[in-house]
Amino acid sequence: MKNITNRIFLVVFFAAVISVGCLFFLFVYQEKTVNKYNALVDGYIENRRLMSEISQKMYELQARVASHVVTDDADTLERSEANIMEINDEITGLFQQMKKRLTDDDEKEIFREVTKSYNALEEQVKVALKFSGQGAEESAEYYICEIMDSYIQKSNEAFDGYYERMKKNVSFEKQRLNEEMQRIVLWRNVSFAFVVVVIGTCLLIVHRSGQRIVDDQKRETDQHNTHIMDMQYKTIVGMANLIESRDGETGEHVKRTSAYAVMIANELMAQGVYPDDITKEYMDNLWKAAPLHDIGKIVVSDSILQKPGKLTTEEFDRIKLHASEGGKIIDGTLEAIDDKEYLDMAHQVARYHHEKWDGSGYPEGLRGEEIPLCARIMAVADVFDALISKRCYKDAMSVEKAYEIIRESSGSHFDPTVAEAFVRIRPQVEAYLREEDEDEGIRFK
């Protein structure tokens, strides 16, 4: 019996070594494949950002030249010319960044087209400034409105072509990734099946040893899954905090709004409201999706996010784009996560958290229960924390005053049921703020 047991353990040992080796290889290969796809997506997002910023700077240059033409004051003209040179330097810097990211001949050709258009645009700027200096305002305006605009349009068309090409590359790589993942899953299942057969045979002869092996394997698997889930959540929160930091916010905003959202959902569940929607899985997904509500701010320039004064109509329209762009970013960058319900909620939270109960919100003007429940919950959490937080354009409001606004906006801005739930959990919210945010300067009265 002892010899049989030793032989079985020897077989189990070698089988385990082979299986673990296969699993390790599959894990490394899977990580490498996913990282390659993520790098492609990250490159796509960064290139898109650079293209958008270059286009924006071109329009800003056009606007500065136009301002120069209609100005007679000498000091203003001097400042305007300096500003034009500064914008030109910024565009040159962006072009240099873009050039370093080019990887193939097609991209370099597109870059040459845009560079050519911009060089021509620079020449038109000089012509417009020359006419302006000579007092020929009509000629200057012609170059600004007609000639310069056509070169900007050519640059944008070239960028659009590059954007479409990158989308096709990402789509192709996504399809290839799915095929690779299917093969990895198949081989992983075969490896696991082999392990199960070996362990099952061992259990028939030496139950205690086999049970110990099974228990150890289960514990390692649970730890591995927990580790992966923890890494995913930390990555999501880290990305959200990075985006929030661009407009002067800290990670506390992401942390607090997530906590409020879960508190509200808990209260709704306790009151038996929306029983078909709010489950334990729903709560977990809400906790993980809430930090991504403002991910779309990545497409908004720092000059707007960090502006201390009142935004212009154009700037506010630019800010509003973050909702729809947030939904697009989540659809395009998180598709590799195999959790459709979580992805749907993340999309809804990012895209619809600025919709209002009365239909006056954005980006789609949804009203009432047309707005997803998770977005209605997020709207209350986001507005409340924005009210009690100091921003570059306003001072922090007291918790008392913020709650008054939430109550007053119930039925117009907010879902009345969600707003009432938030009012009911006020003691819980204040206790949380006192515990977590002692150094944040929160005022309660």
Side-chain angles (χ1 to χ4, degrees):
M1 183 65 181
K2 184 177 180 181
N3 288 335
I4 294 175
T5 303
N6 289 338
R7 290 177 183 177
I8 290 174
F9 273 117
L10 188 61
V11 170
V12 171
F13 174 76
F14 282 111
V17 169
I18 294 172
S19 299
V20 170
C22 291
L23 290 173
F24 180 76
F25 170 78
L26 290 171
F27 176 77
V28 172
Y29 184 67
Q30 177 179 338
E31 287 291 310
K32 182 178 179 181
T33 303
V34 173
N35 288 339
K36 182 179 179 181
Y37 176 75
N38 287 340
L40 178 66
V41 173
D42 291 342
Y44 164 74
I45 293 175
E46 177 62 16
N47 288 348
R48 182 63 174 166
R49 183 191 69 79
L50 287 172
M51 289 187 290
S52 176
E53 194 166 349
I54 289 173
S55 179
Q56 178 185 344
K57 289 295 181 182
M58 286 184 180
Y59 281 116
E60 186 177 346
L61 179 64
Q62 185 184 28
R64 291 297 181 184
V65 175
S67 175
H68 183 281
V69 170
V70 299
T71 300
D72 295 328
D73 182 70
D75 291 339
T76 303
L77 286 171
E78 183 177 349
R79 287 195 301 271
S80 179
E81 290 177 1
N83 193 245
I84 290 171
M85 295 300 296
E86 180 181 343
I87 295 172
N88 182 60
D89 291 341
E90 291 175 357
I91 294 175
T92 301
L94 291 171
F95 271 117
Q96 291 174 351
Q97 293 181 45
M98 191 74 184
K99 186 177 181 180
K100 292 178 181 179
R101 301 182 59 83
L102 302 180
T103 57
D104 59 37
D105 293 338
D106 289 340
E107 292 179 349
K108 293 177 181 178
E109 180 60 30
I110 292 172
F111 181 77
R112 281 194 290 270
E113 290 181 18
V114 177
T115 303
K116 182 179 179 181
S117 296
Y118 181 68
N119 290 337
L121 178 65
E122 281 189 297
E123 294 301 318
Q124 305 313 313
V125 168
K126 294 177 183 178
V127 173
L129 292 178
K130 178 180 179 181
F131 279 123
S132 174
Q134 295 173 353
E137 292 185 1
E138 291 186 1
S139 298
E141 290 175 0
Y142 171 78
Y143 272 86
I144 294 168
C145 298
E146 299 294 335
I147 307 300
M148 289 176 64
D149 197 63
S150 67
Y151 285 115
I152 294 175
Q153 185 63 33
K154 289 180 181 178
S155 298
N156 287 335
E157 288 174 357
F159 278 149
D160 288 341
Y162 177 72
Y163 173 56
E164 291 300 322
R165 181 175 176 276
M166 285 295 295
K167 282 176 64 177
K168 291 180 180 178
N169 286 347
V170 170
S171 177
F172 173 78
E173 287 298 324
K174 176 188 172 184
Q175 181 179 356
R176 193 176 67 82
L177 174 66
N178 288 335
E179 294 172 354
E180 290 288 338
M181 293 301 291
Q182 289 175 0
R183 286 193 287 269
I184 291 172
V185 169
L186 175 62
W187 282 106
R188 186 180 62 192
N189 291 340
V190 170
S191 298
F192 273 120
F194 182 68
V195 172
V196 169
V197 169
V198 172
I199 293 176
T201 303
C202 180
L203 286 174
L204 293 174
I205 303 172
V206 278
H207 174 73
R208 290 184 179 179
S209 298
Q211 187 64 48
R212 189 162 53 249
I213 292 172
V214 171
D215 290 342
D216 290 345
Q217 186 182 38
K218 183 178 183 302
R219 183 171 58 254
E220 291 175 3
T221 301
D222 290 342
Q223 290 175 349
H224 179 67
N225 291 337
T226 300
H227 179 63
I228 290 177
M229 292 174 64
D230 185 56
M231 284 195 303
Q232 286 180 342
Y233 181 71
K234 287 181 179 178
T235 300
I236 289 170
V237 172
M239 182 168 57
N241 288 341
L242 180 62
I243 294 169
E244 289 291 340
S245 68
R246 293 181 61 236
D247 60 353
E249 285 301 302
T250 66
E252 293 302 316
H253 173 70
V254 170
K255 180 181 177 182
R256 290 196 300 261
T257 51
S258 299
Y260 303 149
V262 173
M263 291 179 195
I264 294 171
N266 266 320
E267 176 65 16
L268 293 174
M269 185 167 61
Q271 296 295 321
V273 183
Y274 304 115
D276 295 334
D277 295 316
I278 303 178
T279 62
K280 184 180 183 303
E281 183 179 4
Y282 184 94
M283 302 280 284
D284 291 341
N285 286 337
L286 181 61
W287 174 256
K288 292 187 292 184
L292 296 176
H293 68 280
D294 276 337
I295 192 174
K297 284 184 179 179
I298 196 172
V299 304
V300 183
S301 67
D302 290 344
S303 62
I304 296 177
L305 289 176
Q306 299 173 8
K307 183 176 180 178
K310 183 179 180 181
L311 296 177
T312 65
T313 300
E314 181 180 353
E315 289 170 336
F316 185 60
D317 287 340
R318 186 68 185 171
I319 281 281
K320 290 196 294 185
L321 284 177
H322 84 275
S324 56
E325 289 298 321
K328 293 177 183 177
I329 289 171
I330 289 173
D331 291 342
T333 60
L334 299 183
E335 288 180 331
I337 297 179
D338 188 19
D339 190 341
K340 185 177 185 305
E341 291 186 2
Y342 166 64
L343 291 179
D344 287 344
M345 183 176 292
H347 172 92
Q348 292 169 359
V349 164
R351 184 175 180 83
Y352 300 120
H353 71 284
H354 282 294
E355 298 287 0
K356 296 183 179 180
W357 185 256
D358 61 7
S360 62
Y362 62 87
E364 297 181 17
L366 302 181
R367 65 172 60 245
E369 294 193 358
E370 293 177 350
I371 308 168
L373 175 59
C374 58
R376 304 197 312 259
I377 292 173
M378 196 68 234
V380 174
D382 187 41
V383 170
F384 176 77
D385 197 70
L387 292 173
I388 66 171
S389 302
K390 180 178 176 59
R391 299 288 174 86
C392 62
Y393 54 85
K394 75 171 187 70
D395 291 328
M397 185 180 295
S398 70
V399 172
E400 176 70 30
K401 181 61 177 176
Y403 260 101
E404 288 180 13
I405 292 176
I406 296 295
R407 283 192 292 267
E408 292 170 358
S409 302
S410 176
S412 56
H413 189 151
F414 307 118
D415 177 348
T417 303
V418 175
E420 290 170 8
F422 189 65
V423 171
R424 284 196 299 272
I425 62 171
R426 178 173 176 177
Q428 183 181 351
V429 171
E430 291 189 354
Y432 169 78
L433 289 174
R434 286 190 173 94
E435 180 181 353
E436 298 293 333
D437 302 313
E438 293 179 356
D439 299 328
E440 293 295 317
I442 303 295
R443 295 187 297 115
F444 290 89
K445 298 293 184 180

